[in-house]
């Protein structure tokens, strides 16, 4: 049976009880509107830990003034049922005032990495993400915290934050879960019109084309960018915001694939912005 708590003190109390009993703790931070991607993180956390906590909090500080905070899909009853089915023991669903009381003034920022890729169009987005994740990690003090690799830049930034701040937590990246036609699962997919939804798998086809080129030896980053850009361009409703090949170390563009790199893109379909990526090794 999944319990639902709304206060920081209730989470701390439950985690302290589990710790006193020698249990391990896993945390799955989410903004709700749960889909298979989130549920895969929860199931993985269930396998790895004794106590599984999920947070459901539409974090206002990671939305820009012109972004979709108000219309972001919310259905707590449905989310609680899904989280319970995936093995979550406790859902932390705070009100905004619990996380950001009046006068709140402290921010956690990973310099540089948060300004690139999605950070160019969403200037304070990653500062909001790292701040809320740092708070959630401190509230819950988990052994492991789980994030989807679909948000590749977010994963790289959170991993760096944990490393730089010496946080005693393992940041676990879990594979992107896709629809049968390849579209990465995202809470924002519900915004797509029927025509946009039909064309959106072009993003995954583009990444697969890059993967195939790498498999036969291509390492040149501009060539890979061109391959991805051209494939996305085959979808008439797609408008690419960026296509980049970057090193995961600093998220700066590379000339060739060497070490761990990320091929990442953001694409608009009408009013909906979709992101996707692949991690590649050279
Ligand atoms: O990936 C998300 O859903 C959010 O960015 C996160 C990590 C829960 C922080 O609000």
């Amino acid at each position: 049976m999944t319990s639902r708590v709304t206060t920081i003190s209730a989470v701390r109390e439950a985690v302290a009880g589990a710790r006193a009993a020698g249990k391990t703790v896993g945390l799955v931070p989410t903004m709700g509107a749960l889909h298979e991607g989130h549920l895969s993180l929860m199931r993985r956390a269930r396998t790895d830990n004794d106590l599984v906590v999920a947070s459901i909090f539409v974090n206002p500080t990671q939305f820009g003034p012109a972004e979709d905070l108000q219309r972001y899909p919310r259905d707590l009853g449905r989310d609680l049922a899904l989280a319970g089915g995936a093995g979550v023991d406790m859902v932390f669903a705070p009100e905004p005032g619990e996380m950001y009381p009046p006068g709140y003034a402290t921010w956690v920022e990973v310099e540089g990495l948060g300004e690139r890729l999605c950070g160019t169009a969403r200037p304070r987005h990653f500062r909001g993400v790292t701040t809320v994740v740092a708070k959630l990690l401190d509230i819950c003090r988990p052994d492991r915290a789980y994030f989807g690799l679909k948000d590749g830049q977010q994963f790289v930034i959170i991993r760096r934050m944990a490393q730089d701040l010496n946080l005693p937590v393992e940041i676990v990246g879990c594979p992107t879960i896709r629809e049968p036609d390849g579209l990465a699962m995202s809470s924002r997919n519900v915004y797509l019109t029927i025509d946009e939804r039909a064309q959106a798998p072009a993003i995954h086809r583009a990444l697969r084309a890059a993967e195939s080129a790498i498999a036969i030896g291509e390492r040149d980053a501009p060539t890979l960018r061109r391959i991805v850009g051209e494939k996305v361009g085959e979808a008439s409703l797609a408008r690419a915001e960026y296509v980049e090949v970057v090193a995961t170390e600093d998220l700066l563009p590379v000339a060739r694939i060497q070490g761990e790199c990320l091929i990442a893109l953001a694409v608009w379909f009408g009013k909906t912005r979709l992101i996707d990526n692949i991690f590649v090794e050279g």
Side-chain angles (χ1 to χ4, degrees), residues 29-31 38 57 59 62 125 129 132-133 147 151 154 158:
T30 82
M31 297 207 300
H38 300 110
F57 178 59
N59 173 36
Q62 67 189 75
H125 169 70
V129 170
V132 81
V133 171
F147 299 89
D151 296 311
Q154 170 173 283
I158 290 171

Side-chain angles (χ1 to χ4, degrees), residues 3 5 7-28 50-54 89-92 135-144:
S3 63
V5 299
T7 62
I8 292 167
S9 57
V11 180
R12 289 208 159 123
E13 198 181 313
V15 171
R19 289 264 175 239
K23 293 183 174 173
T24 56
V25 179
L27 172 68
V28 184
D50 299 316
L51 178 76
V52 178
V53 181
D89 298 302
M90 186 170 74
V91 167
F92 174 44
K135 284 171 71 73
L136 290 167
L137 291 174
D138 181 63
I139 291 164
C140 191
R141 309 260 171 115
D143 297 282
R144 302 175 191 87

Side-chain angles (χ1 to χ4, degrees), residues 39 62 65 103 109 152 162 264:
L39 302 183
Q62 67 189 75
E109 188 161 13

Side-chain angles (χ1 to χ4, degrees), residues 80-99:
L80 288 172
L82 288 172
V88 170
D89 298 302
M90 186 170 74
V91 167
F92 174 44
E95 291 297 323
E98 180 74 1
M99 297 298 278

